[in-house]
Amino acid sequence: MTPVELSRSVLCAVRRAVDEGELAVAVPERAVVTVPGPGGCGDYATNIALQLARPAGQPALRVAEILRSHLAGADGVADVVVTGPGFLNIRLGGTASVALVEEILRRGARYGYSNGPSADFVPLSCPGEVRAVVVMDAVARILRSQGAAVRTGCEAELPQEWVDILGVRVDTVGGRSSRPGDSSRSSRHGESNTVGLPGDDAGPRATRHQPVPPRLPHYAVRPVPAPLDPLFLGRDAARWALLHPAEHDRPRVTDEHLVQRESNPLFRVRYAYARTRALTRNAADLGFTAEPGPVEPSTGQFTDQLTSQSPAPLTPHPLQTALADHPRVLAQAAAHRAPDRLARHLVAVADAVLPLLAVVLPRGAEKPSAAHRARLALAEAAGAVLAGGLSLLGIDAPEHL
């Protein structure tokens, strides 16, 4: 179950409470679900009860108890606990976790993408500064993944080395189309015939045969400029150095982004992806493939499950929570024009998958079991999210590292 699906379940619980006369409120348009904060528990938490307490004329704890009774029976929800002043803490069931992995493996690197084009048309513009151009390029990719049509523009012509090394492209330069073959009419009006980037299938395009959505004000991408030219880092490290910090933070353009050690977040992300691919190859050599199933949160709990006469129900692996959060992160990165949110999320996914990798393959004379297949499926799902996220940032995901 993804956060979007869980949000819908929360709203359904509110609607049932209203229909049964337990709450006299207007059902909100959305319910925010996040990772539980300090004092919370489970996989997700929502403050919907606090949001509805005043309009309902009831204490938040009472509203939370009403919603808990309706939400506890929802598909994929294993348990709901009320904490603090009225937070609903939700634990997902094992079948929901399995369905999540199945969905990721089915959609691959496009997991978290919009299911179709939206009505959004977003014109982006930036000054002729290297970080601004790279950030705009990444924002355009993320927006297209969410179904938006995008046109990019720069105030100045791009140096050829930015195009060759950093892989950045723009549709218009100073109001003129930067693409050969565009009509003079499009150039005069500052519109290119192609909204999407060539070869980029992350989102819809508007062509001369399709109506272009109404013009909106340009969103100006103006992050804190890079302190020096990042081209010496090469494409992947340079883009990461400019995209990982928040827009208002000064980027560190140093060779620390090239160091292959744990202290380098880019290395951890790419290393985690390469390890997932290596596990798939090694598992094939051992004669087994991935098969989604319940995955224990720790090796110790799994051992206890095997030896206990009355095993406790398995709780989802921490990695599954991070993977389920991926669609929300992409949507927020698009809405706030903030590729740094995606970069930090990829680091969180990598840090969550790395401890799992050591127990995916059988050891010694151990035979491949359902647990090994389930762990491999979860690792492959993490690899798909890492590859898809890196692609949206314009960074290569290496099979070997």
Side-chain angles (χ1 to χ4, degrees):
M1 179 180 290
T2 67
V4 173
E5 294 169 334
L6 182 56
S7 176
R8 286 197 290 264
S9 296
V10 172
L11 291 179
C12 287
V14 175
R15 190 170 293 108
R16 285 195 295 269
V18 171
D19 292 342
E20 295 180 13
E22 296 173 291
L23 293 176
V25 295
V27 179
E29 294 184 358
R30 60 191 297 263
V32 178
V33 294
T34 61
V35 176
C41 59
D43 301 302
Y44 292 99
T46 177
N47 66 348
I48 189 70
L50 283 76
Q51 177 184 340
L52 297 178
R54 177 172 292 181
Q58 299 190 47
L61 283 173
R62 172 59 182 159
V63 176
E65 286 296 337
I66 292 173
L67 296 180
R68 187 193 68 79
S69 64
H70 292 285
L71 187 58
D75 291 340
V77 175
D79 191 25
V80 183
V81 176
V82 179
T83 61
F87 291 102
L88 290 167
N89 295 259
I90 305 164
R91 180 168 65 84
L92 302 180
T95 56
S97 299
V98 173
L100 170 69
V101 174
E102 290 175 342
E103 179 187 1
I104 297 174
L105 295 181
R106 176 176 58 83
R107 301 197 64 182
R110 296 180 68 87
Y111 166 65
Y113 281 33
S114 170
N115 291 325
S118 71
D120 296 331
F121 174 61
V122 186
L124 300 174
S125 64
C126 73
E129 187 272 325
V130 63
R131 188 188 185 197
V133 173
V134 170
V135 170
M136 182 179 69
D137 181 76
V139 169
R141 292 167 182 259
I142 296 171
L143 282 166
R144 291 187 180 107
S145 79
Q146 301 305 295
V150 182
R151 185 182 66 236
T152 57
C154 186
E155 297 172 1
E157 194 79 38
L158 300 188
Q160 189 59 42
E161 57 265 29
W162 293 7
V163 177
D164 295 339
I165 298 177
L166 300 178
V168 293
R169 293 170 290 180
V170 298
D171 296 309
T172 61
V173 175
R176 296 179 295 101
S177 172
S178 65
R179 302 184 184 282
D182 285 349
S183 68
S184 58
R185 179 180 181 276
S186 296
S187 297
R188 286 197 305 269
H189 291 275
E191 298 177 1
S192 63
N193 289 324
T194 303
V195 174
L197 296 179
D200 186 352
D201 62 354
R205 295 173 175 81
T207 69
R208 69 182 69 193
H209 303 296
Q210 299 170 335
V212 176
R215 177 182 293 276
L216 297 176
H218 276 71
Y219 177 84
V221 179
R222 295 183 180 274
V224 173
L228 53 91
D229 191 334
L231 296 183
F232 72 96
L233 294 174
R235 173 171 176 165
D236 295 333
R239 291 184 69 104
W240 181 270
L242 301 178
L243 295 173
H244 183 250
E247 183 177 351
H248 56 269
D249 290 334
R250 185 179 179 88
R252 295 171 58 87
V253 182
T254 68
D255 57 7
E256 67 187 32
H257 300 289
L258 299 173
V259 176
Q260 296 195 21
R261 63 168 64 108
E262 188 178 354
S263 60
N264 179 2
L266 175 60
F267 171 73
R268 294 207 305 276
V269 171
R270 285 155 55 93
Y271 174 73
Y273 172 74
R275 283 288 308 277
T276 66
R277 301 304 302 147
L279 287 174
T280 299
R281 295 191 296 268
N282 293 338
D285 292 341
L286 294 175
F288 76 99
T289 58
E291 184 176 328
V295 176
E296 71 288 354
S298 68
T299 304
Q301 182 180 348
F302 180 68
T303 303
D304 293 341
Q305 295 286 326
L306 295 179
T307 58
S308 173
Q309 296 296 322
S310 301
L314 287 171
T315 57
H317 192 281
L319 174 60
Q320 290 167 332
T321 302
L323 298 181
D325 209 29
H326 187 63
R328 183 190 66 83
V329 171
L330 287 184
Q332 290 295 309
H336 295 278
R337 319 291 193 254
D340 59 286
R341 296 191 180 202
L342 173 58
R344 290 194 299 271
H345 175 65
L346 295 181
V347 176
V349 171
D351 289 344
V353 73
L354 285 172
L356 172 73
L357 302 181
V359 296
V360 169
L361 298 179
R363 297 182 179 182
E366 188 179 10
K367 299 292 185 181
S369 66
H372 294 113
R373 295 184 179 90
R375 293 176 202 150
L376 178 60
L378 182 56
E380 289 184 354
V385 168
L386 293 174
L390 287 172
S391 176
L392 289 177
L393 297 178
I395 298 174
D396 179 52
E399 296 276 328
H400 304 271
L401 192 62

